[in-house]
Amino acid sequence: GAGAGAGEPTTPQQVQAAFQQIEKECSAYLNKIAELEQEVNEHALVLKAFEKVEPTRRCFRMVGGVLVERTVAEVTPAVRQNQDKIKAVVAKINQELKKKTEQRAAFIKKYGVNQGPGQQGASSGGEQGKPAPAGGSVLV
C-alpha cells in the first residue's frame, strides 16, 4: 500500500500540503529559537546583576517549581550552566532550521511551488544566528 507521507506528493493538493508542512516546521523552529534566545538574554541579565552584589548575598531560585533560598555564589554557576545548555539547544535548532530551509528551497525548485505573500523571508531565517541585543529589560 501507499504509505502516507512516505512517497513523493503526486497531486497539486499533496504538493501544497507538503510545502505548507515544511513552512510550518520552519516557522516553529524560528519561534523556538526566538524564545530560547530570550531566555539566554534573561540569564545574561541575571549574571550581570550578580556581578554587582557580594557573593554572600541571598537570592531566590526556582527549582522544579519550588522557590529555594541560596546565595549568589551558589546560584551563579547553575545559572551560567543553564545559559550554556540553552545556547547549545539554540545551535542545534539552528542546524535543524538550516536543513529544513534547504529542504524547502529544493522543494520550491522541484515543484515550482508558488509562495504566498509574506513567505519570501522565511528561507533567510536560518542566518539569524546572533541573538538580538536585549533592550528595555528591568531587573529589580
Side-chain angles (χ1 to χ4, degrees), residues 57-74:
R57 181 171 174 173
R58 65 191 184 123
C59 63
F60 295 89
R61 177 170 185 242
M62 188 72 77
V63 177
V66 178
L67 202 59
V68 293
E69 184 179 333
R70 297 282 185 264
T71 65
V72 168
E74 291 171 320

Side-chain angles (χ1 to χ4, degrees), residues 24-69:
K24 201 167 117 183
E25 289 173 24
C26 283
S27 193
Y29 283 143
L30 286 169
N31 290 340
K32 193 64 181 173
I33 289 167
E35 181 186 321
L36 291 173
E37 283 180 345
Q38 184 59 42
E39 282 194 37
V40 169
N41 290 337
E42 288 171 14
H43 279 66
L45 285 173
V46 170
L47 291 169
K48 190 173 180 182
F50 281 173
E51 291 170 11
K52 300 172 186 151
V53 297
E54 61 277 3
T56 55
R57 181 171 174 173
R58 65 191 184 123
C59 63
F60 295 89
R61 177 170 185 242
M62 188 72 77
V63 177
V66 178
L67 202 59
V68 293
E69 184 179 333

